Amino acid sequence: MIEQEKTESIAASLPTTYDPQAVEGKWYRFWEEGGYFKPNPKATGKSFVISMPPPNVTGALHLGHAITATTEDILIRYHRMLGDDTLWVPGEDHAGIATQTVVERLLAKEGTDRHILGREAFLERVWQWVYQYKSRIQDQHRRLGASCDWSRERFTLDEGLSKAVREVFVRLYEEGLIYRGERIINWCPRCMSALSDLEVNHVDTQGTLTYVRYPLKPLEGQEDAPTEYISVATTRPETILGDTAVAVNPKDPRYASIIGRIAILPIMKREIPIVADDVVDAAFGTGAVKVTPAHDPTDFEIGVRHNLPRIQVIGFDGKMTDEADHYAGQDRFEARKNIVEELKQLGNVIKIDEYMVPLGRCQRCDTIVEPLISKQWFVKMTSLATPAIGAVKYGLLKIVPERFNKTYMDWLENIHDWCISRQLWWGHRIPVWYCDDCGEMIVSREDVTACTACNSSNIRQDEDVLDTWFSSWLWPFSTLGWPDNTPDLQRYYPTAVMETGYDIIFFWVARMVMSGIHFLGTIPFHTIYLHGLVRDAKGEKMSKSKNNVIDPLEVMDQYGTDALRFTLATSSTPGNDMKLVPERIEGNRNFANKIWNASRFVLISTEAIGGGIPAIEEVYPRTLADRWILSKLARLTQNATHLIEDFQLGEAGRQINEFFWSDYCDWYVESAKVQMQGSEEERRNTAGILRAVLDCSLRLLHPYMPFVTEEVWHNLYSIGEPNKERWPASALIIASWPKTNERALDDDAEQRFALLQEVITRIRDARNQMGVEQARRIPVIMAVGDEMAMFSAQAPVIEFLARTEKPQLFVELEQKPQQAVSLLAGTIEVYLPLAGMLDLAKELERLDKEIAQAHQEIARLQGKLANENFVTRAKAEVVEKEREKLAAQEERVSKLLARRSDLAQ
């Protein structure tokens, strides 16, 4: 327990401003060292578990991680306060391609590379990087206030998770769902690795569509006839050298007569058949397409159907192969230019059009991806996808927001086999061994030292590693100990909510659903909550090239963690991108100060009054303000709880903010100052309500702003209830979430106090408009109808909050006051005698001077605009500006005369 020294006045010794730097580290250490982040199996509620989306160990956290951590921590802290057995499992992802790329860049700066180092030395170097950045990421999560159980922290290359990965690979292989085969895959020549479809970003890029004609081989007996041609259109002329057919749609009448004939491939002079295939789009280009089975996934399938050869003319290094004849060794894009030039010289180019090409680029290094045939490991996905589709279709799995159901379903219903092998060194090595003596292939959960067929020790493990997502899709249950049947797995699986960005619903979320159902027979979570991207104040995506990246650590240093958290939570709605506006962060820093200052005032003003901090349902409302604030708090508790349960975290936060800043601070605390002038009993009662409402407010705010609320809550209880044995909890983090006090809901009190607020607000507005000095008390006359009893009781509140003399109250007025500002609040008539607000004679004299000056300016402007030389010779915009000045002065005179008329009545 963090002790606070008892002095003559603890409250008065509290700092006058809130200092986040002095508070945040202290409380995080207190929570972590006190075991507050650990689950509580003895909790009265159900279990509530979130698996933290593991950030890549490739650098510092960014705002995307900050909104993830904030959203999940709000849910975790809320459920912990509900009394649920709450567990938040943290961890990091080894991020195969991304991490290897970062370390390779470091090596390049040192003048070396991984091949010079060798596999083992390179992996040691990567581990050095990982240890450094893992601890940095953990510390940054601590800065954000993430209340996750660090004793259960996991890494995707941990021994336990590696065991799970091997179990899944072997089990899927044994089930016939993992296979090795030659297929067209996405290949990155820079990373020298296969990529899944989801690891390729398709960017619309200005390119060209080249129309090329292929001569047809003459029919037998027609060798002397004019040459016939078939034309194709291509965005990739360099692949022409690998064509093994031309395809047309069988229903296209333009080509019906030449199906089955032979075309002569330009440059290569190779004979290739014209085949008919339903996949051909007759409306694209010429309606005939070149078929390059080795360099296009659609062409590969055409090749399979028509038994076409596969000629690879582009290598894994992005250079032309020996099959490319005299273009061998050229870069693929250099070869493109040269091939088009040769085709022009041969007379085979018909035309070249500008064309927008959806160019595939490596997600990690931005290199243009090359479709190539390669022997890789794949997972058959169709049978895995079917139950995952059913989970959403039949309402067993909820996606927030619901519009992403279609995105999820469309991808799963059109899913392709998943290429899971990567030509990297960093990652889970594929658990397959090959015997060089007998050719046996061994798939094993354990390391293999001898061939299971011939007992030879001349074996070698597959060089490739698994796709990073192959370990990540097991995250909800591998982190709990699976494949072992651990106590954590039994108690905390399935988890509750998967919260993450909508941009990885395919990469990760859908795959987790598939694996959870397949391996444990249960959907891994009941709700998928998707947040949007964090953009800059203009709505643009943050990037280093735009110099608009905001570092969350810098924001926390400047404004405090609570301000950043509250901004991220309340500036967004599920599934929508948000703009991070600096002024909003500053405003929420001011909100943290408001919490501090209001609490400090309450503590100082009630410190000498006993009574402790009563439970909210135990306080007794004696005044209209008491009834009103308790009703508003009950309604807020009801609404906020409902909104959080419905994952409307932003709206819940906004309503809590509005209640605390406006209802509690601006109205009730100010009204309480009047009540505190009453009897000892009235003072004690008011102090109890001030403390009880503050206590509940801090509980409602805690999931959003944990640091300032914990600090204030401890101050509140240290001063209001020095006997710690009587505290409701040892810390706010585990204090109970407020329950709606149904008895306090009071529509009548809310309506009556709203009327009182309107009267006070209208008087304040009139004072401001008339320029009345702040300290000056003004007379007020009111016709209140049947509300005489209410306004008589509230007269001291009006006096104090509106800075008036004692209100003169009438049921109705036979004659309206002269020379008075007339206001209407609902049905209540309010009159403010002008003589009580200002010196009429001086004000009339001032107005007369202003009117005279305005008339002089009007005369000058009218004369200028009547001058024909000025109007015809000056620029049009200059003349128009003078006319605008004249109109403004005429409007000013009109307002001044109206004001003078009002005062002179």
Side-chain angles (χ1 to χ4, degrees):
M1 182 64 65
I2 294 177
E3 300 290 345
Q4 298 188 4
E5 291 183 7
K6 182 73 175 176
T7 63
E8 188 173 331
S9 174
I10 297 177
S13 67
L14 294 175
T16 55
T17 57
Y18 174 61
D19 180 7
Q21 306 300 329
V23 166
E24 293 174 0
K26 172 183 75 173
W27 284 116
Y28 198 91
R29 287 190 300 274
F30 171 80
W31 294 326
E32 187 174 2
E33 292 169 4
Y36 290 98
F37 300 159
K38 294 180 181 296
N40 178 14
K42 296 180 181 179
T44 56
K46 61 186 182 302
S47 67
F48 181 85
V49 184
I50 292 180
S51 301
M52 177 188 290
N56 293 346
V57 285
T58 49
L61 296 184
H62 51 67
L63 282 171
H65 298 112
I67 193 171
T68 296
T70 296
T71 304
E72 293 177 14
D73 196 45
I74 289 171
L75 293 171
I76 286 291
R77 288 178 183 269
Y78 165 72
H79 280 275
R80 188 183 287 123
M81 295 176 78
L82 277 184
D84 292 341
D85 183 13
T86 306
L87 171 62
W88 187 11
V89 182
E92 302 81 30
D93 197 305
H94 69 278
I97 290 179
T99 304
Q100 179 157 320
T101 300
V102 169
V103 176
E104 285 194 81
R105 285 175 185 157
L106 290 176
L107 294 177
K109 291 179 181 178
E110 298 170 9
T112 187
D113 61 40
R114 64 179 169 118
H115 300 287
I116 295 173
L117 286 181
R119 187 164 191 150
E120 294 306 316
F122 175 74
L123 291 177
E124 286 179 15
R125 187 65 183 272
V126 179
W127 275 110
Q128 291 173 15
W129 168 275
V130 166
Y131 291 136
Q132 176 185 354
Y133 278 91
K134 265 184 66 179
S135 69
R136 185 177 298 184
I137 288 169
Q138 291 165 11
D139 289 344
Q140 288 169 341
H141 269 119
R142 288 181 169 93
R143 279 292 309 275
L144 284 163
S147 59
C148 45
D149 184 358
W150 291 109
S151 69
R152 285 175 165 85
E153 183 256 348
R154 297 290 183 266
F155 181 53
T156 50
L157 276 176
D158 279 351
E159 183 179 346
L161 275 72
S162 297
K163 180 180 179 181
V165 167
R166 281 204 179 182
E167 177 65 29
V168 165
F169 186 96
V170 175
R171 201 180 288 189
L172 290 176
Y173 179 79
E174 292 171 346
E175 294 170 0
L177 294 178
I178 280 185
Y179 66 94
R180 192 181 189 215
E182 285 195 337
R183 297 281 297 275
I184 282 278
I185 49 93
N186 303 297
W187 181 266
C188 175
R190 157 63 185 77
C191 296
M192 289 298 285
S193 179
L195 307 174
S196 73
D197 291 342
L198 295 177
E199 292 170 309
V200 179
N201 293 330
H202 291 277
V203 182
D204 286 340
T205 307
Q206 188 63 55
T208 57
L209 189 62
T210 304
Y211 289 78
V212 182
R213 62 180 189 171
Y214 293 12
L216 298 183
K217 183 178 180 180
L219 295 171
E220 188 174 345
Q222 297 182 13
E223 288 80 1
D224 296 331
T227 303
E228 297 176 89
Y229 294 91
I230 185 168
S231 299
V232 300
T234 180
T235 59
R236 305 183 66 214
E238 67 275 16
T239 64
I240 285 176
L241 307 184
D243 287 358
T244 56
V246 173
V248 298
N249 193 294
K251 298 176 183 177
D252 192 335
R254 294 174 294 176
Y255 301 111
S257 63
I258 63 171
I259 293 172
R261 291 187 61 179
I262 300 297
I264 307 300
L265 186 64
I267 300 178
M268 305 301 287
K269 301 189 183 334
R270 186 165 59 242
E271 293 186 359
I272 59 176
I274 298 172
V275 300
D277 199 288
D278 289 327
V279 78
V280 177
D281 180 2
F284 175 77
T286 66
V289 297
K290 56 187 287 303
V291 181
T292 321
H295 294 288
D296 182 271
T298 302
D299 292 4
F300 180 86
E301 298 299 334
I302 294 174
V304 170
R305 286 192 290 273
H306 296 275
N307 198 28
L308 300 175
R310 304 163 185 168
I311 300 175
Q312 184 172 338
V313 294
I314 302 173
F316 292 96
D317 59 357
K319 295 181 178 179
M320 305 304 285
T321 68
D322 291 343
E323 295 283 1
D325 200 56
H326 52 285
Y327 291 103
Q330 290 188 16
D331 177 81
R332 52 185 166 155
F333 299 118
E334 177 189 1
R336 175 183 294 179
K337 296 175 185 177
N338 295 336
I339 288 168
V340 170
E341 190 58 37
E342 183 173 354
L343 288 170
K344 286 180 180 178
Q345 293 173 6
L346 293 171
N348 291 95
V349 175
I350 300 170
K351 63 175 180 175
I352 301 176
D353 291 342
E354 294 292 312
Y355 189 76
M356 195 62 72
V357 181
L359 206 58
R361 290 183 174 273
C362 175
Q363 186 190 58
R364 294 301 176 190
C365 70
D366 206 40
T367 300
I368 295 173
V369 168
E370 193 64 47
L372 294 174
I373 291 177
S374 176
K375 184 171 281 190
Q376 301 285 344
W377 288 95
F378 296 87
V379 178
K380 295 177 182 178
M381 299 301 287
T382 304
S383 63
L384 295 173
T386 301
I389 291 170
V392 170
K393 184 176 180 180
Y394 298 111
L396 303 174
L397 176 61
K398 177 182 178 181
I399 301 178
V400 181
E402 190 176 353
R403 71 175 186 273
F404 282 97
N405 282 12
K406 185 178 186 305
T407 307
Y408 173 95
M409 298 291 277
D410 285 349
W411 184 70
L412 285 175
E413 288 171 352
N414 297 281
I415 200 164
H416 300 290
D417 286 358
W418 176 14
C419 176
I420 57 171
S421 46
R422 297 291 180 272
Q423 288 63 54
L424 305 170
W425 288 353
W426 173 247
H428 293 277
R429 198 160 173 182
I430 291 175
V432 175
W433 286 260
Y434 307 97
C435 178
D436 289 334
D437 288 341
C438 72
E440 181 74 4
M441 185 178 78
I442 307 143
V443 179
S444 174
R445 292 172 175 81
E446 307 295 334
D447 285 352
V448 176
T449 56
C451 176
T452 55
C454 71
N455 206 35
S456 169
S457 60
N458 191 18
I459 59 171
R460 55 186 170 81
Q461 187 174 357
D462 196 304
E463 292 289 324
D464 293 348
V465 300
L466 291 162
D467 178 10
T468 296
W469 299 102
F470 194 85
S471 53
S472 300
W473 76 324
L474 314 177
W475 190 249
F477 51 89
S478 65
T479 52
L480 297 174
W482 188 91
D484 296 333
N485 190 23
T486 63
D488 272 7
L489 186 67
Q490 293 177 33
R491 182 167 181 83
Y492 298 118
Y493 185 87
T495 65
V497 177
M498 174 45 61
E499 191 282 337
T500 190
Y502 65 69
D503 53 332
I504 57 173
I505 189 171
F506 309 133
F507 282 105
W508 192 40
V509 178
R511 286 174 176 164
M512 282 190 289
V513 176
M514 288 186 269
S515 67
I517 295 174
H518 188 77
F519 294 106
L520 283 92
T522 309
I523 301 166
F525 26 75
H526 59 67
T527 301
I528 299 167
Y529 178 99
L530 301 172
H531 66 250
L533 302 176
V534 183
R535 298 181 179 272
D536 70 7
K538 298 178 182 177
E540 295 183 357
K541 191 171 182 178
M542 294 186 188
S543 68
K544 291 180 181 178
S545 61
K546 294 180 182 177
N547 196 31
N548 64 348
V549 174
I550 298 175
D551 183 349
L553 291 176
E554 292 180 3
V555 175
M556 290 186 283
D557 287 341
Q558 184 175 0
Y559 298 105
T561 298
D562 287 327
L564 175 61
R565 285 172 58 112
F566 200 76
T567 302
L568 292 172
T570 58
S571 300
S572 61
T573 54
N576 293 321
D577 294 350
M578 63 162 285
K579 295 179 183 178
L580 189 65
V581 181
E583 291 78 12
R584 196 170 289 166
I585 305 173
E586 187 175 349
N588 288 320
R589 177 194 62 189
N590 295 341
F591 180 44
N593 285 329
K594 185 78 171 180
I595 296 168
W596 180 263
N597 291 332
S599 304
R600 185 173 181 272
F601 169 79
V602 169
L603 295 176
I604 290 174
S605 61
T606 67
E607 184 175 11
I609 302 172
I613 298 95
I616 197 68
E617 61 272 9
E618 295 175 359
V619 297
Y620 177 73
R622 291 176 174 271
T623 67
L624 175 63
D626 293 346
R627 291 168 54 204
W628 171 78
I629 195 64
L630 294 176
S631 181
K632 293 285 280 187
L633 175 62
R635 206 171 300 282
L636 170 71
T637 303
Q638 188 177 63
N639 290 345
T641 303
H642 173 75
L643 287 165
I644 294 174
E645 291 287 346
D646 199 38
F647 297 97
Q648 300 296 321
L649 308 184
E651 181 58 27
R654 287 186 287 273
Q655 289 192 20
I656 298 169
N657 170 285
E658 174 65 22
F659 169 84
F660 189 83
W661 194 306
S662 178
D663 295 343
Y664 183 67
C665 296
D666 292 351
W667 288 100
Y668 185 73
V669 170
E670 294 303 308
S671 299
K673 291 176 182 178
V674 177
Q675 297 177 191
M676 293 290 280
Q677 303 304 312
S679 67
E680 181 66 28
E681 187 176 355
E682 289 170 336
R683 291 175 65 240
R684 179 181 289 270
N685 195 73
T686 300
I689 293 176
L690 280 168
R691 293 169 182 163
V693 176
L694 176 58
D695 180 19
C696 285
S697 299
L698 294 171
R699 296 179 195 229
L700 292 169
L701 274 168
H702 179 73
Y704 295 84
M705 307 178 81
F707 294 110
V708 66
T709 53
E710 188 74 78
E711 177 76 4
V712 170
W713 192 84
H714 272 261
N715 289 336
L716 172 64
Y717 274 87
S718 295
I719 294 168
E721 184 53 78
N723 183 358
K724 291 181 180 178
E725 292 182 0
R726 298 175 62 178
W727 288 20
S730 58
L732 177 57
I733 190 174
I734 56 169
S736 61
W737 182 257
K739 294 179 181 177
T740 301
N741 184 8
E742 302 274 356
R743 291 182 304 164
L745 291 171
D746 190 335
D747 291 338
D748 178 69
E750 291 188 37
Q751 292 170 7
R752 288 175 178 273
F753 199 84
L755 181 60
L756 177 63
Q757 287 175 301
E758 188 176 357
V759 167
I760 293 169
T761 300
R762 295 208 181 284
I763 296 173
R764 286 172 169 175
D765 290 345
R767 289 178 61 112
N768 291 335
Q769 290 167 9
M770 299 293 289
V772 179
E773 302 95 324
Q774 181 65 28
R776 184 169 187 164
R777 291 195 175 275
I778 61 173
V780 57
I781 302 168
M782 298 171 59
V784 298
D786 57 3
E787 295 289 350
M788 178 63 74
M790 191 268 277
F791 278 101
S792 295
Q794 300 306 314
V797 177
I798 296 172
E799 284 183 61
F800 183 70
L801 296 185
R803 302 293 293 170
T804 70
E805 298 173 0
K806 183 177 181 179
Q808 301 175 49
L809 303 176
F810 300 89
V811 174
E812 58 181 324
L813 292 167
E814 295 181 4
Q815 186 174 357
K816 312 301 182 190
Q818 298 297 308
Q819 287 192 317
V821 174
S822 174
L823 308 170
L824 193 64
T827 59
I828 309 302
E829 298 175 26
V830 180
Y831 299 93
L832 307 177
L834 293 172
M837 292 197 288
L838 43 80
D839 188 319
L840 280 176
K842 286 185 178 179
E843 181 65 7
L844 288 171
E845 182 181 350
R846 185 186 68 79
L847 287 172
D848 287 339
K849 287 182 181 179
E850 281 199 44
I851 291 168
Q853 290 171 355
H855 276 307
Q856 288 178 0
E857 182 64 9
I858 287 171
R860 185 186 72 78
L861 290 167
Q862 287 175 336
K864 193 172 185 179
L865 290 168
N867 185 333
E868 190 174 342
N869 284 335
F870 170 73
V871 174
T872 56
R873 293 181 181 180
K875 291 182 178 179
E877 57 266 27
V878 173
V879 175
E880 182 59 29
K881 195 168 185 179
E882 294 301 299
R883 287 182 177 139
E884 289 173 359
K885 288 180 182 178
L886 176 61
Q889 287 298 325
E890 288 172 340
E891 183 180 1
R892 180 167 175 252
V893 165
S894 177
K895 289 181 178 180
L896 289 169
L897 288 170
R899 173 147 170 88
R900 193 188 191 291
S901 175
D902 290 340
L903 294 178
Q905 289 179 1

